[in-house]
Amino acid sequence: MNKRWTDRLATSVFTMIALVIVAVLAGLISYIVVRGFSQLDLDFLTSPPSSFREGGGIGPQLFNSFYILVLTMLFTVPLGLGGGIYMAEYAKPGKVTDFIRTCIEVLASLPSIVVGLFGLLVFVQLTGWSYSILGGALALTVFNLPVMVRVVEDSITSVPREQKEASLALGITHWDTIRTIILPAAFPGILTGVILSAGRVFGEAAALLFTSGVTTPRLDWANFNPFSETSPLNVFRPAETLAVHIWKVNTQGLVPDARDIADGAALVLIIAVLLFNLVARLLGRYVHKKLTSAK
C-alpha cells in the first residue's frame, strides 16, 4: 500500500470517528430536547418544585445553580490565575516545584465525590456552617482550582518567549511584562479554562450533595438581606442546585410527573451551559480585542 492510499485511509478513518462522535452528541441532545421541550414555559422556570402534586417547577434550583457558579468563579479565577502565573513565571525549576506540580495533577484527578466528602468534613462539620451555599462554592473551588492553575500555566508558557524577552530588553519590569504582554496574549487559553471550569461547576452534583444539600428553604424573593434565613442571597442557607434536583427527582421523587420534570430540568441545564459558553466566548473575544488592539 503506497503513501497516497495510506493517507486516504487514515483520513477516512478519522473522518468516520468524528462523524460518529457528532452523531452521538446530536442524538443525545435531540433526545433531551424532544423529551423536555414540552415542559419549558415561564411557570416551570420560575415556580418552586412540588413535593407531592404535579406541575412543580425549578425556579429556586435554577437560581441556586447560578448563585453557586458565580461564587465559585469569584474564588477560583483569582486564585487559579495567581497560581498559574506563579508556576509559569516565578517558580524556580527544582524538586519543590516538581512536587507542587505533582500535587496539582493529583488534585485535578480527584473524583468529585471525594471532594464532596472533604467539603462535608471541612466546610460543613468543622466550620459548623451545616449545608450551605458557601460550603458548596468552596468545595467546588477545591475541585476546579487545580484545573484552572494548569490551564493558566499552559496558556502562559505557550506565549512565544521572544515577546517577553523583547519587553524586558526595553526596560519594562517583570510584572508589567506579565500584565501588559503575556496575559493579553494568553487570554484566549485562560478564557477556555474559565469556561471549562464554569461548565463543571454548573453541572456538578456529587460534590454538592454533601456540601450545599438537597433541599431549599422557602425563599422571599423580595428580601435582599444576605443575613436573613429567607433571603435568596444568604450564603449560609442550604441550596439544591439544578443538577442535584435532577438526581433527586429521578431517585427520590414522589410527584406523578417526576420523569417530565427531570427531562425539562435536563434540557434547561444543557441550554444554560450552552448559553453561558456562548456569552463567555463573545465577551472573551471582545476583551481580547481591547487588550491586544486587534481588529
Side-chain angles (χ1 to χ4, degrees), residues 29-72:
I29 294 178
S30 300
Y31 176 79
I32 296 176
V33 170
V34 171
R35 297 282 305 183
F37 185 76
S38 61
Q39 299 295 318
L40 292 187
D41 54 34
L42 184 60
D43 183 67
F44 180 74
L45 296 176
T46 57
S47 62
S50 175
S51 300
F52 303 102
R53 298 180 180 178
E54 294 184 2
I58 58 171
Q61 287 72 23
L62 187 60
F63 174 81
N64 292 338
S65 296
F66 280 106
Y67 195 18
I68 290 179
L69 170 64
V70 171
L71 288 179
T72 302

Side-chain angles (χ1 to χ4, degrees), residues 92-104:
K92 297 180 180 180
K95 294 183 178 180
V96 176
T97 302
D98 293 340
F99 176 75
I100 295 175
R101 188 170 285 109
T102 301
C103 292
I104 293 174

